[in-house]
Amino acid sequence: MKKNNLFYPILAVLTLGLAPYVPEPHFFGKVKWVLGGAEGMGGMDYFDLVLHGAPWVYLIYTLISIAVKKFK
């Protein structure tokens, strides 16, 4: 049985990519901070952005590779 190619990227986004969920997903808070000028961001904040952003990059990569295979 072949697993869906989107299972692991979506699982990663729903767990690490969005955690903690309250009051807003952590990744979105970090992105807002960077877009607002990133004043006061330290090295740990950038590492945190990369850590929570990696599942999103993985999901986007998977979606693009599926689209490329479909249109070939």
Side-chain angles (χ1 to χ4, degrees), residues 9-50:
I10 290 174
L11 181 66
V13 165
L14 291 176
T15 56
L16 181 61
L18 291 175
Y21 304 100
V22 176
E24 72 176 354
H26 199 60
F27 176 72
F28 296 132
K30 293 290 182 182
V31 170
K32 285 182 191 176
W33 197 1
V34 168
L35 293 176
E39 286 189 36
M41 277 185 89
M44 185 61 95
D45 296 311
Y46 286 109
F47 173 75
D48 199 33
L49 177 64
V50 170

